[in-house]
């Protein structure tokens, strides 16, 4: 489990966020009561913009360890536009880390946003139409105006996208949808998505894409909280300014991507105003992971793991045999010395070996 956690942290530091999520998930399956695993997987999900999963992981970490400050902080960051929820999480976590200034700054920002929303709602309610013309004049004025456009109904599901040099990943946030109710088709420059759940209004999403794709290489996956669609770019390295084609962004600059570069930091376009400096947050997390200091048994275990990892087969056999046969009091790396005899225990000074009888 410790090896999986170490590899997951390394994957996160190297910007391989999907791999990090997968490794953390494997570690959680082996140790589902470890709050650190959930908090760290929440951070990786934040980088992938998997916000519902990140909220669930941060909440689970808080359930397992109500004193974990970083879990509250990450939940507060994820609930970016649910200011009341974010504020509650941040206020609960702030006393646990008084030296962490981000709690104070984010709580202040939440208060400002809540106050602004309240003010806007009050102002909107206070606006009442004043009638200063006769009924006849009002009818004549209305009849002379162009037809009023009724706003179209908001989409049933929210969608977002990010991109890599070779593909574009589209996420449609649809929770609990059966795979049999989802149909996805790919054209040369068309994506067609239909979600038809019995008893509900059908959802259709059919944009003309910014760039061309390779239909045979495109794929999709229906998960518990979303539909994830991967579009293979016909022109790798071409940056998509938007998901959907329009005349204003039709002419773009081609980005030269070195062939050796497998993965590039994903971009997260959004129509929402940017509130969090993700690059700064990522740098702080990386610094925290790299500067992690261990002591006591944790430092000793790490030292032993590093020796074992780089050792040859005979050294590993010697380490296993000596440690097991001596009840954890001897650790030898010399197979010639311990391979032909039983390794006796060697207790520390002032202590003696005893055999427990059941």
């Amino acid at each position: 489990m410790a090896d999986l956690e170490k590899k997951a942290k390394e994957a996160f530091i190297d910007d391989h966020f999907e791999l990090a999520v997968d490794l953390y998930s494997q570690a959680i399956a082996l140790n589902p009561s470890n709050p650190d695993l959930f908090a760290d997987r929440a951070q990786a999900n934040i980088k992938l913009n998997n916000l519902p999963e990140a909220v669930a992981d941060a909440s689970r970490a808080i359930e397992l360890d109500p004193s974990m400050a970083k879990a509250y902080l990450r939940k507060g960051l994820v609930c970016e536009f649910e200011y009341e929820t974010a504020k509650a999480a941040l206020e609960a976590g702030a006393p646990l880390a008084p030296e962490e200034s981000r709690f104070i700054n984010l709580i202040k920002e939440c208060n400002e946003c809540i106050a602004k929303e309240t003010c806007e709602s009050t102002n909107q309610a206070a606006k009442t139409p004043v009638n200063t013309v006769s009924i006849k004049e009002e009818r004549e004025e209305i009849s002379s105006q162009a037809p009023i456009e009724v706003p179209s109904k908001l989409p049933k599901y929210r969608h977002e996208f990010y991109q890599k040099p070779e593909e574009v990943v589209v996420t449609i946030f649809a929770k609990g949808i059966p795979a049999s109710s989802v149909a996805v088709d790919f054209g040369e420059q068309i994506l067609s998505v239909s979600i038809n759940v019995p008893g509900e209004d059908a959802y259709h999403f059919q944009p003309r894409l910014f760039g061309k794709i390779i239909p045979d290489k495109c794929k999709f996956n229906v998960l518990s909280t979303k539909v994830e669609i991967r579009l293979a770019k016909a022109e790798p390295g071409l940056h998509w300014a938007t998901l959907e084609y329009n005349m204003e962004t039709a002419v773009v600059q081609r980005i030269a991507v070195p062939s050796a570069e497998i993965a590039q930091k994903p971009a997260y376009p959004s129509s929402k105003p940017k509130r969090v400096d993700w690059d700064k947050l990522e740098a702080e997390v990386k610094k925290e992971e790299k500067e992690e200091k261990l002591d006591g048994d944790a430092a000793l275990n790490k030292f032993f793991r590093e020796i074992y990892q780089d050792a040859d087969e005979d050294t590993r056999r010697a380490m296993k045999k000596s440690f097991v046969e001596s009840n954890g009091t001897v650790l030898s790396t010399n197979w010639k010395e311990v391979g032909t005899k039983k390794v006796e225990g060697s207790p520390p000074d002032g202590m003696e070996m005893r055999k427990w009888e059941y």
Side-chain angles (χ1 to χ4, degrees), residues 44-66:
N45 272 317
I46 289 174
K47 297 301 297 182
L48 291 171
N49 213 24
N50 296 337
L51 303 188
E53 290 87 342
V55 171
D57 282 341
S59 299
R60 181 56 179 159
I62 292 171
E63 290 178 10
L64 294 171
D65 184 1

Side-chain angles (χ1 to χ4, degrees), residues 159-163 168-171 189 191 205 207-211 231 240-246 249 269:
H159 73 272
E160 293 181 358
F161 86 100
Y162 69 90
Q163 62 186 301
V168 174
V169 181
V170 181
T171 302
Q189 200 171 350
L191 169 65
F205 179 54
R208 179 186 176 189
L209 301 172
F210 180 88
L231 306 174
W240 289 21
T242 60
L243 177 62
E244 302 184 40
Y245 175 90
N246 62 69
T249 57

Side-chain angles (χ1 to χ4, degrees), residues 55 59 72 75-76 79-91 110 114:
V55 171
S59 299
Y72 290 98
K75 184 174 181 179
C79 299
E80 184 177 356
F81 292 96
E82 297 177 8
Y83 302 115
E84 294 287 356
T85 304
K87 180 183 175 182
L90 294 167
E91 288 180 337
C110 284
I114 292 170

Side-chain angles (χ1 to χ4, degrees), residues 30-44:
L30 297 175
N31 188 3
S33 60
N34 187 332
D36 285 297
L37 295 175
F38 285 98
D40 292 340
R41 189 174 70 174
Q43 182 63 22

